[in-house]
Amino acid sequence: MAHYRTKQELYDEVDRLFRNEHPEAPQQLSADGAEHAALRESWLIWRDVVLSREADRIYWEMYPEAPTQIDSNNAVHQQWIAAWNEIYNHVKSFEPQPAFGVWAMDQTDMRASILEGVRLYFGQIRPELHGDVRWTVESWLDTYREMVLDGRLMSGNYWEAPYVDLQSNEDPNHKVRLGLIVYHDLVHPRATPSVEVTNPLS
């Protein structure tokens, strides 16, 4: 039986990562003060990261035999997709809340959706680039968040992120092109990533 961390354990992990990045942050952030806006945003980013990592940890602990490359068109693989989603939803039910109060923009579901899409290709992508792929997802979310908060993206509109090209140092012919289209909805925004791999791993 896999061990699910408690809400407090998740909170402590989020706070640890947040304060490693922001050692200057005060112990208590204001709930809506402009001076702490960037810090509140950073805390929530780390919250989303911790939830996704926790779901991955539980998934591999429970299903070590699961394929590392998932094909969403393969009926046999639907059980693995359903298993991860069930774990993620359970982890999210213990979602730690910020000490400064609930903030408006939670990107947990969007991050999980994008990562689920790009992970389908991890079996084709050299491991050295996996971190760059995840960093690209975070940069997309940062840009999307800024556009929404600045009023540059209104509900009902689409946003297409600029393509990102990654190249392997181990094999210069191994390249990955990443793209993203987001349908912005105030309640349930939907994100669809695209992945093209040149000279993929077999």
Side-chain angles (χ1 to χ4, degrees):
M1 183 69 178
H3 166 69
Y4 283 85
R5 290 191 290 178
T6 66
K7 181 176 180 177
Q8 185 60 49
E9 288 174 321
L10 290 172
Y11 180 95
D12 290 343
E13 176 67 6
V14 175
D15 212 44
R16 182 185 68 79
L17 293 169
F18 167 75
R19 296 195 178 280
N20 282 345
E21 183 180 20
H22 299 286
E24 78 288 357
Q27 285 301 115
Q28 179 67 41
L29 302 182
S30 65
D32 53 14
E35 73 278 9
H36 290 166
L39 292 173
R40 291 194 298 270
E41 185 174 335
S42 180
W43 195 96
L44 286 167
I45 290 172
W46 280 116
R47 187 271 306 278
D48 294 349
V49 169
V50 166
L51 295 181
S52 182
R53 288 178 180 175
E54 177 72 353
D56 282 347
R57 183 186 70 79
I58 295 294
Y59 175 80
W60 289 114
E61 183 177 333
M62 293 180 66
Y63 304 106
E65 75 284 6
T68 57
Q69 183 178 350
I70 297 295
D71 180 0
S72 59
N73 296 318
N74 186 334
V76 176
H77 287 193
Q78 294 306 310
Q79 62 176 316
W80 305 115
I81 295 173
W84 191 92
N85 287 335
E86 181 179 358
I87 292 168
Y88 172 76
N89 288 331
H90 187 67
V91 168
K92 197 181 179 205
S93 72
F94 292 100
E95 181 177 322
Q97 295 298 329
F100 47 82
V102 177
W103 192 49
M105 195 166 187
D106 179 357
Q107 293 183 295
T108 307
D109 289 335
M110 181 179 289
R111 173 178 283 104
S113 174
I114 297 172
L115 287 173
E116 182 179 354
V118 299
R119 283 193 184 108
L120 297 176
Y121 296 86
F122 268 19
Q124 302 177 32
I125 300 173
R126 287 183 172 271
E128 64 168 309
L129 295 180
H130 289 185
D132 292 334
V133 171
R134 292 189 179 94
W135 182 89
T136 298
V137 172
E138 295 303 325
S139 69
W140 283 337
L141 291 169
D142 287 344
T143 302
Y144 170 73
R145 183 187 304 106
E146 290 172 2
M147 293 185 67
V148 174
L149 295 179
D150 291 346
R152 288 177 286 161
L153 188 61
M154 305 304 293
S155 184
N157 290 344
Y158 285 90
W159 173 64
E160 185 171 357
Y163 281 98
V164 174
D165 294 302
L166 306 174
Q167 183 175 17
S168 167
N169 291 323
E170 298 173 355
D171 177 5
N173 293 320
H174 182 78
K175 301 175 183 178
V176 180
R177 166 164 272 215
L178 302 169
L180 180 73
I181 295 178
V182 177
Y183 173 73
H184 176 59
D185 179 278
L186 291 176
V187 180
H188 298 296
R190 300 187 297 277
T192 304
S194 63
V195 182
E196 299 176 22
V197 184
T198 303
N199 194 29
L201 295 176
S202 57

